[in-house]
């Protein structure tokens, strides 16, 4: 028996994100599909007659949400997973009439989710507006409530009833209002209707000529999904004063509006995790297209926090990955509150200077250690930072004494997200570059501050105090390379070439195991002890190249991966 499959609505992302489909199976069951980017050609994905024959067989069973990906074995499209999801619906239910979506006869499409329709419950055409996908339900909920606020006031179209899909409310029906979109000549009528809205303590928040329908010098407002309550007269005056400019605009887009993030946070609290996740993605993408990167970063950060705290690692992790993409796209500059030696620089510098990307680090701490997306988020965040790390660390290496605190902070924060035995490698990322530019003071300060924080946060870490001449040095039996760095600094300040060679020989096996300090130590030997190098290159460049997996001389050894590696810890490491 052949089951009919009809694609009702779709949204295709050409920028490497999932595409979404609303599908009707057998004329009765609604299913929602997500298709990975690259599985099909865009030309096929936007034209259902081309896409339908290429979809994999629909799995049997009771499911309404599924993901289509390429099979790792065959490379062919397949359902990676399916599940039954109890999608939430509109919660502001105030009208007695309910109309089933399947009873509608769709006519002219006015917008992707707005149609002229006919139904046996009403005579003539009416307007249906609905959530095409579950994540759009939040918008419908807010607009449904706004229509209750203006009910019977003659401000907007008459609300006719709630629209349902498989029992849950997903939209509403409105009377069809005849009229033309407003022009500047209609300013008095438009001002009058907006003033009536303000008298009710409501801000429309999306005034533009397309949201007015005018006939016989009378205006009607539509599209209340951004409307909200307000008791601020100044805010109302600003909205009204900007109306003339909107009516003069030739843009076909709606006006700028402000998204109220608490609605998404409330959705998370109420368990609407899928809807909140998709809604947050949609809003952030909208902000990115507007070039409003600060707003996109803020909403992704707050949304990811809410989802991660609710135990939704997959959804929260996805927003975290999107956040990294936005930082990459934004090319953010430090703001005036970032006091440091730089006027601009790569994004890692902004983390170091306490700027916005500190949000990345805060999110890392919210992941469950078992969450698969955690590793990918950390990897992509570090990879992005590592892409610009040579410039960033060079700036800090050549900066002022204040740079030390920023340098050590980021290296230790990164270390805190890695295995405990990798501490020496992160300490070296500050110590060795300072030595390579002749700044022994900052190199010593970096080591001392890193080691001090390590001791504070790992009080059970075994240590011994060794007396050396007139000074004392704390050593870590389980972290031999950290001891090497401390002894190297002491040797530079007090010792000679023979002592340096002995130090290298004593730790040779450990240094060889990590395989990334050789060039830097050769240069240290030449700079501080007069030991001639085997070859002449740019040591600082080689150092950064070996540490971060790029750059360096053509013959410089390359690490196997971008992840910092270190010898296996001794058994007594905390």
């Amino acid at each position: 028996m052949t089951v009919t499959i009809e694609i009702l609505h779709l949204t295709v992302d050409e920028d490497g994100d999932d595409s979404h489909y609303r599908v009707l199976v057998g004329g009765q069951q609604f299913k929602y599909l997500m298709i990975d980017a690259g599985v099909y050609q865009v030309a096929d994905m936007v034209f259902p007659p081309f896409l339908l024959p290429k979809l994999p067989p629909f799995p049997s069973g009771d499911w309404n949400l599924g993901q289509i990906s390429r099979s790792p074995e065959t490379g062919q499209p397949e359902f990676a997973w399916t599940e039954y999801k109890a999608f939430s619906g509109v919660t502001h239910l105030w009208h007695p009439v309910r109309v089933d979506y399947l009873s509608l006869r769709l006519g002219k499409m006015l917008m992707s989710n707005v149609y002229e329709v006919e139904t046996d419950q009403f005579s003539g055409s009416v307007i249906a507006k609905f959530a095409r996908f579950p994540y759009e339900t939040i918008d419908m909920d807010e607009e449904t409530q706004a229509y209750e606020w203006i009910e019977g006031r003659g401000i907007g179209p008459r609300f006719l009833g709630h629209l349902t899909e498989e029992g849950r409310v997903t939209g509403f029906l409105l009377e069809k209002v005849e009229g033309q979109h407003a022009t500047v000549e209609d300013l008095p009528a438009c001002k009058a209707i907006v003033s009536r809205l303000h008298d009710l303590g409501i801000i429309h928040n999306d005034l533009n000529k397309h949201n007015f329908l005018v006939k016989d010098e009378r205006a009607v407002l539509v599209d209340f999904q951004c409307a909200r309550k307000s008791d601020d007269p100044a805010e109302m005056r600003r909205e009204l004063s900007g109306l003339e400019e909107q009516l003069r605009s030739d843009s076909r887009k709606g006006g700028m509006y402000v998204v109220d993030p608490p609605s998404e946070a409330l959705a998370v609290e109420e368990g609407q995790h899928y809807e909140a996740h998709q809604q947050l993605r949609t809003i952030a993408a909208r902000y990115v297209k507007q070039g409003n990167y600060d707003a996109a970063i803020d909403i992704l950060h707050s949304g990811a926090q809410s989802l991660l705290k609710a135990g939704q690692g997959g959804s929260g992790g996805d927003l975290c990955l999107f956040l990294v993409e936005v930082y990459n796209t934004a090319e953010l500059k430090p703001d005036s509150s970032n006091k440091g030696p730089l006027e601009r620089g790569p994004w890692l510098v902004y983390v170091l200077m306490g700027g916005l990307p500190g949000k990345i680090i805060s999110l890392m701490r919210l992941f469950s250690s078992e969450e698969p997306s955690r590793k990918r988020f950390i990897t992509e965040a570090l990879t992005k930072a590592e892409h610009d790390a040579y410039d960033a660390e060079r700036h800090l290496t050549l900066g002022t004494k204040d740079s030390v605190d920023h340098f050590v902070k980021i290296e230790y924060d990164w270390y805190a997200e890695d295995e405990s035995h990798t501490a020496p490698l992160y300490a070296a990322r500050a110590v060795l570059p300072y030595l390579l530019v002749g700044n022994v003071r900052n190199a010593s300060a970096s080591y001392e501050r890193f080691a001090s924080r390590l001791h504070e946060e790992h009080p059970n870490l075994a240590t011994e105090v060794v007396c050396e001449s007139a000074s004392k040095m704390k050593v870590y039996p389980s972290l031999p390379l950290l001891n090497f760095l401390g002894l190297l600094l002491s040797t530079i300040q007090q010792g000679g070439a023979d002592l340096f060679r002995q130090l290298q020989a004593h730790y040779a096996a450990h240094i060889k195991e990590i395989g990334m300090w050789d060039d830097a130590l050769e240069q240290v030997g030449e700079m501080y002890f007069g030991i001639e190098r085997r070859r002449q290159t740019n040591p600082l460049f080689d150092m950064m190249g070996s540490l971060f997996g790029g750059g360096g001389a053509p013959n410089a050894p390359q690490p196997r991966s971008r992840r910092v590696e270190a010898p296996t810890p001794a058994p007594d490491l905390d």
Side-chain angles (χ1 to χ4, degrees), residues 138 175 469 506 521:
I138 295 173
E175 69 170 330
S469 300
H506 183 76
L521 292 177

Side-chain angles (χ1 to χ4, degrees), residues 268-341:
V268 174
E269 291 176 6
E270 294 177 348
Q272 301 175 30
H273 301 131
Y274 171 80
E275 294 86 340
H277 169 222
Q278 296 300 327
Q279 180 77 349
L280 287 161
R281 254 195 164 279
T282 301
I283 294 169
R286 187 184 303 159
Y287 279 137
V288 169
K289 289 180 180 179
Q290 293 173 354
N292 191 351
Y293 300 116
D294 285 346
I297 286 168
D298 284 342
I299 199 165
L300 286 172
H301 177 249
S302 62
Q305 277 187 319
S306 297
L307 286 166
L308 290 173
K309 289 177 180 178
Q312 300 297 307
S315 298
D318 177 71
L319 295 186
C320 288
L321 292 170
F322 193 3
L323 179 61
V324 175
E325 292 178 22
V326 175
Y327 273 118
N328 188 29
T329 304
E331 298 180 355
L332 293 171
K333 308 294 189 295
D335 60 39
S336 59
S337 65
N338 294 337
K339 308 300 183 184

Side-chain angles (χ1 to χ4, degrees), residues 138-139 142 204-206 225-228 235 255-265 276 279-287 290 292 295-296 298-300 302:
I138 295 173
D139 282 344
E142 294 175 348
H204 187 274
N205 213 18
D206 190 18
Q225 72 181 51
C226 304
R228 56 187 173 83
E235 187 176 30
M256 297 293 288
Y257 60 88
V258 177
V259 176
D260 189 13
S263 63
E264 279 67 52
Q279 180 77 349
L280 287 161
R281 254 195 164 279
T282 301
I283 294 169
R286 187 184 303 159
Y287 279 137
Q290 293 173 354
N292 191 351
D298 284 342
I299 199 165
L300 286 172
S302 62

Side-chain angles (χ1 to χ4, degrees), residues 536-557:
Q536 299 296 319
T537 63
N538 183 329
L540 184 57
F541 192 86
D542 289 346
M543 175 68 185
M544 296 303 176
S546 63
L547 283 178
F548 291 100
N555 297 322

Side-chain angles (χ1 to χ4, degrees), residues 51 197 221 232 263:
L51 179 63
L197 185 70
L221 261 175
D232 184 356
S263 63

Side-chain angles (χ1 to χ4, degrees), residues 140-330:
M140 291 298 105
D141 202 9
E142 294 175 348
E143 188 163 10
T144 300
Q145 183 181 43
Y147 273 105
E148 182 181 19
W149 295 339
I150 65 171
E151 173 72 0
R153 303 287 183 161
I155 293 173
R158 189 161 55 93
F159 192 94
L160 302 178
H162 299 290
L163 190 62
T164 66
E165 174 189 301
E166 296 184 342
R168 67 187 181 98
V169 174
T170 59
F172 48 79
L173 297 176
L174 302 171
E175 69 170 330
K176 181 180 176 182
V177 176
E178 302 290 347
Q180 302 295 321
H181 291 308
T183 67
V184 71
E185 285 77 18
D186 302 309
L187 181 60
C190 294
K191 275 190 171 182
I193 203 72
V194 172
S195 296
R196 290 170 64 182
L197 185 70
H198 289 173
D199 289 342
L200 297 177
I202 302 170
I203 293 286
H204 187 274
N205 213 18
D206 190 18
L207 291 182
N208 64 82
K209 62 185 181 182
H210 306 291
N211 284 341
F212 291 94
L213 293 174
V214 181
K215 184 178 181 181
D216 299 331
E217 299 184 352
R218 179 182 177 272
V220 173
L221 261 175
V222 297
D223 198 355
F224 289 87
Q225 72 181 51
C226 304
R228 56 187 173 83
K229 293 280 191 176
S230 174
D231 57 2
D232 184 356
E235 187 176 30
M236 295 178 183
R237 285 194 297 270
R238 284 194 297 271
E239 182 169 67
L240 201 58
S241 65
L243 180 56
E244 181 174 354
E245 180 182 352
Q246 288 294 336
L247 296 184
R248 291 185 183 277
S249 173
D250 292 329
S251 171
R252 296 188 59 83
K253 297 180 180 180
M256 297 293 288
Y257 60 88
V258 177
V259 176
D260 189 13
S263 63
E264 279 67 52
L266 181 61
V268 174
E269 291 176 6
E270 294 177 348
Q272 301 175 30
H273 301 131
Y274 171 80
E275 294 86 340
H277 169 222
Q278 296 300 327
Q279 180 77 349
L280 287 161
R281 254 195 164 279
T282 301
I283 294 169
R286 187 184 303 159
Y287 279 137
V288 169
K289 289 180 180 179
Q290 293 173 354
N292 191 351
Y293 300 116
D294 285 346
I297 286 168
D298 284 342
I299 199 165
L300 286 172
H301 177 249
S302 62
Q305 277 187 319
S306 297
L307 286 166
L308 290 173
K309 289 177 180 178
Q312 300 297 307
S315 298
D318 177 71
L319 295 186
C320 288
L321 292 170
F322 193 3
L323 179 61
V324 175
E325 292 178 22
V326 175
Y327 273 118
N328 188 29
T329 304

